[in-house]
Amino acid sequence: MTKNKNLILVTNDTLVEKINKECQESSNTFLFPIENFCVGIPKTFKLEEITEESLIFINRLLDKDGIENFKVLLKNLPKNIKGIVFDDIGILNILLETKSTLTKILFLNHANCNYESINAFLEYVDSVVISTDITTEETKEILKRAKKPLVVYAFGHVAIMYSRRTLLSNYNKHFKTNIDNEITLKEGISKEEVKAIENIYGTVIYTNNPFNNLKLRKEDNILYNLINSVYLHDEEVISIINSESDMSDTYPYKYLSEEETIYRIKEEKI
Amino acid sequence: MIELLAPAGNLERLKIAFLYGADACYIGGYRFSLRANAINFSNSELKEACEFAHNLGKRVYVTVNIVLHNKDLEGLKEYLEELASIGVDAVIVSDIAVIKMIKDNNIPLEAHISTQASTLNAEAAMFYKKVGATRVVLAREASREDIKDIKDKTGLDLECFAQGAMCTSFSGKCVLSNVFTNRDANRGGCAQICRWTFDIADEKEPFSMTPKDLNMARYIEDMIDIGVNSFKIEGRMRSVYYIATIISEYRKIIDKIKMHNLKPSDILYSNDIMNRCANRESTPQFYDKFPGEEEQYYLGREEVSNQDFLGIVLDSNENEILLEQRNYFKIGDVVEFFGPNMEPFTYTITKIYNENHENIDIARHPRMLTYLSDLPKMSKGTMMRLKVFDKNDYL
């Protein structure tokens, strides 16, 4: 049987050791969010803290200073860093200009919803993370038509809003309160909940439940199944890695994968 | 080249925008555009818009800026070819598939990178330049330093938002609407969840993330100096009154900068006029500082509506004007006329006639036709508003 190739976003100090110990049957690659280059992640890492052969994760949109700092980071990458998963197109340009040999994976959050866009980017990168905002059928068609193996967001809470503003700090200042930088927000009418997390680079809102997309992990043309460990216990991540089932009984949330979103209210007239 | 770029949700608004001083308009067709609920333009209306603009020596850009799903690719090439044949000057795109389609098929269209791509740095702008973009609409989060650096390093045409509503999120990085309402934010169906309120456990006060509007009036001169080419007004869903007011104020500011006679009092006056029209407070947001507590609202939507827009001139001769009423006005009201190529002037209403030339005291019916006398001849499209601010008070 083909092993699942997992790419695990590491967001605490204990997960790597536990996975190495308890998930030896699977093929696991670690993805480390890098300090000062990420938003919406409770624990980020300095390069010297990463000892495994790994990929690094940068999900911040970078301003002038941020992009200059990235150039410095790139020059100082140790040999165990084999690749990079990133959102900012500026990083792509730098990697191309410097002829970087790193594995380049573009995670343009909320874009890359069709096979033409993905194939266009595959001329510049090794792989692309398929958007979470499309249906299962759309994802399958993309996998079928993509020119290179892709990354599927297989499991995890989904970042559904990224603001440059420090919204939780602003709330504290305005109301003279002391809410934490990780909170749950409940919408006033529907009572639906989401999670918010802030650092100095901005605020990210996540779905309240983890998106279970594990049913796709046996599809063809997948480079990695991405598992985002934000808000998950280590034991949950381990059980997901070790499970051969889609775990839909335990984690039923399907996010946007089953119902196509609507957008055009008026009829077309040509 | 310094360009004042106006939004237009339909032909009427486009014509008003050009009459009031826009150099270019951005509009949407029936497909592929991020304002699915704007009235938008049929292909024949797009053609009429281009002919109208080009006759005035002005430009039209069409938004093709949704994030495309597989099935949205159907008909895209034909649509782009149609836009080129109509004479559209550029398309505003966020999906690289659109740029690639233009390039691979040699479609004679300029591509401008939409703010949906959230471009904040010179390296990203350079990538888009290499793939064929001629202009980048920068992220509203870009600071002065970011903008200057991008211009210095890329030489690209840069378009920046000058006025209008802000998303809480980086544009393109929000799907709150998809999750809460199943309406696709990145395909034109945004339900503006960021203007709703939320509860936080154990906290009395609701949580809101609504930003105040953007207003760059006092920095336009500086932005010109650092190389911004196009000043964009947000709001394809906005009314003709909003478009006329905002465009005429920015037109005056830009023209005065060109003539080296812009005074601080001009900006103060313009800002009061624009803020009242928008019904919301506005600030420069990210350009001059990192926005904090003061740059947002805390109770969801905070808008104070008014009925300042009283009517629009349909016809005019030496003695009287024909005015279509838009809000209640009466004898004794002190009003102001503003319009294309004219200085606003004050007028006290002493007589009102209905469409049969009979004396009336009040124009109370929506869109009723009225005549006002003892007024100079003025252009069709001139607007009458309640006089709230007096320019002399700012001198």
Side-chain angles (χ1 to χ4, degrees), chain A residues 61-64 67-68 71 87-90 92-94 97 108-111 113-117 120-121 123-124 133-134 138 141-142 160-168 170-171 173-175 177 179 183-188 191-192 194 205 255-256 259-270, chain B residues 30-31 36-38 42-43 45 67-73 95-97 100 118 120-121 123-124 126-128 130-131 141 145-146 149 153 166 168-170 172-176 178-180 182-184 186-189 196-200 203 205-207 209 211 285-286 290-293 295-296 298:
Chain A
L61 292 176
L62 301 173
D63 56 14
K64 173 178 171 284
I67 208 80
E68 293 306 318
K71 289 175 186 172
D87 191 323
D88 196 302
I89 290 295
L92 173 57
N93 198 57
I94 292 169
E97 287 290 311
L108 209 50
N109 208 9
H110 306 302
C113 292
N114 70 78
Y115 54 84
E116 290 287 2
S117 303
F121 276 122
E123 292 179 16
Y124 307 100
D133 307 332
I134 57 179
E138 288 173 319
E141 188 177 3
I142 288 171
I160 54 176
M161 198 280 285
Y162 165 21
S163 175
R164 179 67 190 90
R165 295 166 198 269
T166 50
L167 299 168
L168 307 186
N170 291 351
Y171 178 93
K173 280 182 198 153
H174 185 77
F175 291 117
T177 52
I179 59 169
I183 59 163
T184 297
L185 301 171
K186 185 186 279 188
E187 198 278 309
K191 305 299 176 196
E192 199 168 328
V194 291
I205 292 180
Y255 186 53
L256 302 169
E259 187 182 0
E260 196 175 351
T261 49
I262 57 167
Y263 59 103
R264 195 181 303 116
I265 312 298
K266 297 177 194 307
E267 287 300 309
E268 285 178 34
K269 61 170 180 179
I270 308 294
Chain B
Y30 277 95
R31 293 186 68 193
N37 294 329
S42 65
N43 285 3
E45 288 166 334
V67 172
L68 299 156
H69 289 212
N70 294 336
K71 73 174 185 184
D72 298 319
L73 296 165
D95 196 316
I96 194 169
K100 191 164 189 308
S118 286
L120 266 187
N121 61 67
E123 295 288 348
M126 190 56 85
F127 177 83
Y128 290 123
K130 284 182 202 163
V131 297
E141 288 78 3
E145 286 67 35
D146 298 330
D149 192 58
K153 289 180 176 160
M166 297 278 291
T168 301
S169 171
F170 279 105
K173 298 295 183 192
C174 178
V175 288
L176 285 171
N178 305 41
V179 171
F180 278 92
N182 201 42
R183 285 171 54 177
D184 198 323
N186 291 325
R187 289 196 290 173
W196 294 9
T197 54
F198 295 79
D199 297 323
I200 302 172
E203 294 294 336
E205 304 296 345
F207 177 85
M209 42 188 150
Q285 298 286 358
F286 288 86
F290 182 71
E293 179 198 359
E295 280 71 36
Q296 67 171 91
Y298 295 88

Side-chain angles (χ1 to χ4, degrees), chain B residues 154-373:
Chain B
T154 70
L156 269 165
D157 233 24
L158 297 185
E159 181 178 309
C160 290
F161 279 88
Q163 183 76 31
M166 297 278 291
C167 289
T168 301
S169 171
F170 279 105
S171 294
K173 298 295 183 192
C174 178
V175 288
L176 285 171
S177 174
N178 305 41
V179 171
F180 278 92
T181 68
N182 201 42
R183 285 171 54 177
D184 198 323
N186 291 325
R187 289 196 290 173
C190 181
Q192 301 196 344
I193 309 302
C194 61
R195 296 182 189 274
W196 294 9
T197 54
F198 295 79
D199 297 323
I200 302 172
D202 302 324
E203 294 294 336
K204 278 193 316 213
E205 304 296 345
F207 177 85
S208 166
M209 42 188 150
T210 310
K212 292 178 182 173
D213 278 6
L214 177 71
N215 176 320
M216 296 304 300
R218 67 183 148 116
Y219 287 111
I220 297 296
E221 190 161 15
D222 188 48
M223 292 172 83
I224 292 171
D225 287 345
I226 63 171
V228 174
N229 304 92
S230 179
F231 294 93
K232 183 173 209 160
I233 309 301
E234 175 275 343
R236 280 190 282 147
M237 313 278 277
R238 303 280 197 166
S239 67
V240 285
Y241 177 62
Y242 178 88
I243 290 169
T245 303
I246 303 296
I247 291 297
S248 66
E249 294 306 319
Y250 274 97
R251 179 77 274 155
K252 281 186 273 187
I253 288 169
I254 291 170
D255 288 348
K256 285 183 178 179
I257 290 168
K258 285 181 181 170
M259 302 293 290
H260 305 289
N261 63 359
L262 180 70
K263 296 191 282 293
S265 61
D266 296 323
I267 294 170
L268 290 174
Y269 174 72
S270 288
N271 277 344
D272 279 346
I273 295 276
M274 292 193 289
N275 285 344
R276 186 162 172 96
C277 175
N279 306 324
R280 283 201 292 253
E281 291 177 71
S282 57
T283 107
Q285 298 286 358
F286 288 86
Y287 185 79
D288 56 335
K289 66 192 169 313
F290 182 71
E293 179 198 359
E294 296 299 322
E295 280 71 36
Q296 67 171 91
Y297 291 117
Y298 295 88
L299 294 168
R301 289 178 183 273
E302 292 197 16
E303 295 169 10
V304 183
S305 63
N306 61 56
Q307 285 75 44
D308 289 357
F309 178 29
L310 302 180
I312 184 164
V313 174
L314 300 183
D315 201 3
S316 169
N317 61 34
E318 300 303 331
N319 300 314
E320 63 179 10
I321 61 162
L322 173 62
L323 187 89
E324 185 183 86
Q325 188 261 34
R326 293 298 173 94
N327 272 300
Y328 171 103
F329 62 87
K330 63 184 186 309
I331 287 174
D333 282 349
V334 179
V335 302
E336 190 169 49
F337 284 90
F338 73 104
N341 307 313
M342 63 181 273
E343 280 297 314
F345 69 89
T346 305
Y347 172 76
T348 302
I349 298 174
T350 55
K351 287 176 184 168
I352 308 171
Y353 304 97
N354 66 15
E355 61 184 317
N356 299 319
H357 274 96
E358 297 162 338
N359 269 308
I360 55 173
D361 295 331
I362 299 168
R364 65 170 88 247
H365 304 299
R367 291 188 178 255
M368 71 182 287
L369 298 178
T370 62
Y371 289 93
L372 300 176
S373 56

Side-chain angles (χ1 to χ4, degrees), chain B residues 17-89:
Chain B
F18 283 134
L19 284 175
Y20 277 77
D23 300 303
C25 275
Y26 64 100
I27 62 182
Y30 277 95
R31 293 186 68 193
F32 311 113
S33 166
L34 259 184
R35 290 291 174 271
N37 294 329
I39 301 164
N40 286 328
F41 291 67
S42 65
N43 285 3
S44 62
E45 288 166 334
L46 286 171
K47 191 160 190 256
E48 188 180 339
C50 288
E51 284 169 359
F52 185 86
H54 295 164
N55 283 337
L56 297 169
K58 302 187 177 202
R59 288 161 66 86
V60 172
Y61 310 140
V62 173
T63 52
V64 187
N65 57 348
I66 63 168
V67 172
L68 299 156
H69 289 212
N70 294 336
K71 73 174 185 184
D72 298 319
L73 296 165
E74 289 168 23
L76 176 63
K77 176 170 165 279
E78 292 73 18
Y79 181 65
L80 292 168
E81 287 170 340
E82 178 73 15
L83 293 182
S85 75
I86 282 170
V88 164
D89 297 287

Side-chain angles (χ1 to χ4, degrees), chain B residues 92-163:
Chain B
I92 303 171
V93 309
S94 65
D95 196 316
I96 194 169
V98 182
I99 304 179
K100 191 164 189 308
M101 199 165 276
I102 290 170
K103 210 172 162 189
D104 289 353
N105 295 286
N106 294 314
I107 299 171
L109 277 174
E110 272 186 42
H112 297 175
I113 298 299
S114 167
T115 194
Q116 287 293 107
S118 286
T119 307
L120 266 187
N121 61 67
E123 295 288 348
M126 190 56 85
F127 177 83
Y128 290 123
K129 185 176 183 179
K130 284 182 202 163
V131 297
T134 55
R135 173 186 289 192
V136 175
V137 188
L138 296 181
R140 275 169 267 213
E141 288 78 3
S143 68
R144 182 185 191 279
E145 286 67 35
D146 298 330
I147 298 168
K148 185 173 185 314
D149 192 58
I150 293 168
K151 185 67 179 188
D152 291 347
K153 289 180 176 160
T154 70
L156 269 165
D157 233 24
L158 297 185
E159 181 178 309
C160 290
F161 279 88
Q163 183 76 31

Side-chain angles (χ1 to χ4, degrees), chain A residues 51-65:
Chain A
T51 54
E52 304 270 329
E53 275 204 356
S54 312
L55 277 61
I56 58 170
F57 183 58
I58 294 181
N59 70 347
R60 248 185 80 197
L61 292 176
L62 301 173
D63 56 14
K64 173 178 171 284
D65 292 341

